[in-house]
Amino acid sequence: MEEYILKVKEDGTKITVRDVQLRLLEILKDIDALCQKHNISYWLTGGSALGAVRHQGFIPWDDDADIGMMYEDYQKFLKVVNELDDCYVVQSFTTHKEYNVCIPAMKIRLKGTYCEEYNWLLRNKCKDGDGLFIDVFVIDYISENKYIDFTWRCRNGLLMLLITALENISFNPLWLKKRFVRNARKYGKLNQHSKYIGYDLTWCFNSMLKPVVYSKESVFPIQYVTFEDTQLPIPKIPKEMLDVEISIHHMQYPDKKDQVPKHIKDIEI
């Protein structure tokens, strides 16, 4: 297996993508055990889901891990997440009013580690650590009318720009953040009978014209598949999600020049 080096320390020791993946795997196992204990449905998303399908584990050069869950399951998860071992720090807008609402809804961080991402615009504002983390995305119902969906995304997209600008001059626009989250919740509730789901409206980085939307029927019931040395959940028909999250050609390997880690700028584990 090719070695993807993230950092060479002063003493010559290396921290590789594989080192990071093995720590992320342990976090995923703990999250999975908690979700199974409380009957909370979730699934791997993005590159983590692609890794499960194409590699039966991590994509060899992938340096992060993402999961998603429906909003109703996220609410249940919030109530029990503190049952995780005290080696973890949980950061979200519910737990930290300084949390940046324009990033995934929750980060579960591993104490005793350090992780700096390349995305400097959306820096971690929480004071209890920058540890290695798992991103938790909220999945919610999406309108079947593309024009309505586009309108709502534009509304929160504009708020996202304003919130990000204010936070980067060290101002916490709490009232705007509450409005941003409230819009997302209202939109999901308005469409609760829709057959489509996708990232809730607190995640506005995908194209307004081509959001990550797929049928709820393609997800449930979730299936557990081989992931490294364990079993983790993915959608019933992962292709539908991966076609829009990654590419319709997601089973093909990218060009060699693109087979590189993209998220971690600095790391200590």
Side-chain angles (χ1 to χ4, degrees), residues 149-189:
D149 184 64
F150 176 75
T151 302
W152 276 84
R153 288 181 190 280
C154 286
R155 184 181 303 175
N156 255 24
L158 291 172
L159 278 176
M160 176 195 71
L161 294 175
L162 184 56
I163 290 168
T164 300
L166 290 171
E167 287 208 318
N168 278 285
I169 59 171
S170 300
F171 180 76
N172 185 17
L174 191 57
W175 76 98
L176 289 177
K177 292 162 75 171
K178 289 180 178 178
R179 176 65 178 270
F180 184 76
V181 173
R182 189 164 63 246
N183 282 351
R185 299 286 67 81
K186 182 177 179 180
Y187 183 64
K189 189 173 183 180

Side-chain angles (χ1 to χ4, degrees), residues 6 27-28 33 48 53 68 85 106 110-111 134 164 188 221 228 231:
L6 291 171
I27 306 174
L28 286 170
S48 301
V53 172
D85 192 278
M106 179 186 289
L110 181 62
K111 294 179 183 178
I134 302 291
T164 300
E228 301 291 341
Q231 298 269 312

Side-chain angles (χ1 to χ4, degrees), residues 230-245:
T230 189
Q231 298 269 312
L232 291 176
I234 62 172
K236 177 180 69 175
I237 306 173
K239 182 181 186 302
E240 188 171 331
M241 179 187 73
L242 292 172
D243 278 352
V244 291
E245 272 203 283

Side-chain angles (χ1 to χ4, degrees), residues 15-202:
I15 299 178
T16 67
V17 168
R18 190 58 180 166
D19 294 328
V20 168
Q21 289 176 350
L22 292 176
R23 301 303 291 273
L24 292 174
L25 181 61
E26 293 307 311
I27 306 174
L28 286 170
K29 289 178 179 178
D30 287 343
I31 292 172
D32 183 70
L34 181 65
C35 287
Q36 291 208 51
K37 175 183 176 182
H38 292 283
N39 195 30
I40 296 171
S41 292
Y42 80 99
W43 57 94
L44 300 177
T45 65
S48 301
L50 177 58
V53 172
R54 196 173 68 189
H55 303 269
Q56 291 73 57
F58 289 100
I59 297 172
W61 54 89
D62 195 9
D63 55 351
D64 80 338
D66 303 322
I67 66 172
M69 59 183 68
M70 296 295 296
Y71 178 62
E72 54 263 38
D73 282 303
Y74 180 71
Q75 288 180 298
K76 292 165 60 178
F77 189 65
L78 275 171
K79 294 176 180 178
V80 302
V81 68
N82 286 330
E83 292 181 21
L84 287 171
D85 192 278
D86 62 7
C87 66
Y88 297 113
V89 170
V90 177
Q91 296 174 346
S92 72
F93 190 50
T94 302
T95 60
H96 300 68
K97 293 310 174 190
E98 69 272 25
Y99 189 78
N100 192 326
V101 293
C102 301
I103 63 177
M106 179 186 289
K107 288 181 180 287
I108 299 175
R109 294 185 180 272
L110 181 62
K111 294 179 183 178
T113 64
Y114 172 76
C115 179
E116 180 184 355
E117 298 180 82
Y118 276 107
N119 190 350
W120 65 272
L121 272 175
L122 299 175
R123 294 185 298 271
N124 177 30
K125 307 294 169 56
C126 300
K127 304 298 190 294
D128 51 1
D130 288 288
L132 190 64
F133 60 87
I134 302 291
D135 275 326
V136 182
F137 288 87
V138 170
I139 311 297
D140 214 339
Y141 293 96
I142 305 297
S143 175
E144 297 177 30
N145 184 309
K146 292 184 178 181
Y147 174 76
I148 292 174
D149 184 64
F150 176 75
T151 302
W152 276 84
R153 288 181 190 280
C154 286
R155 184 181 303 175
N156 255 24
L158 291 172
L159 278 176
M160 176 195 71
L161 294 175
L162 184 56
I163 290 168
T164 300
L166 290 171
E167 287 208 318
N168 278 285
I169 59 171
S170 300
F171 180 76
N172 185 17
L174 191 57
W175 76 98
L176 289 177
K177 292 162 75 171
K178 289 180 178 178
R179 176 65 178 270
F180 184 76
V181 173
R182 189 164 63 246
N183 282 351
R185 299 286 67 81
K186 182 177 179 180
Y187 183 64
K189 189 173 183 180
L190 285 172
N191 296 292
Q192 60 186 320
H193 300 299
S194 173
K195 63 182 180 181
Y196 292 111
I197 60 174
Y199 290 138
D200 81 336
L201 292 194
T202 62

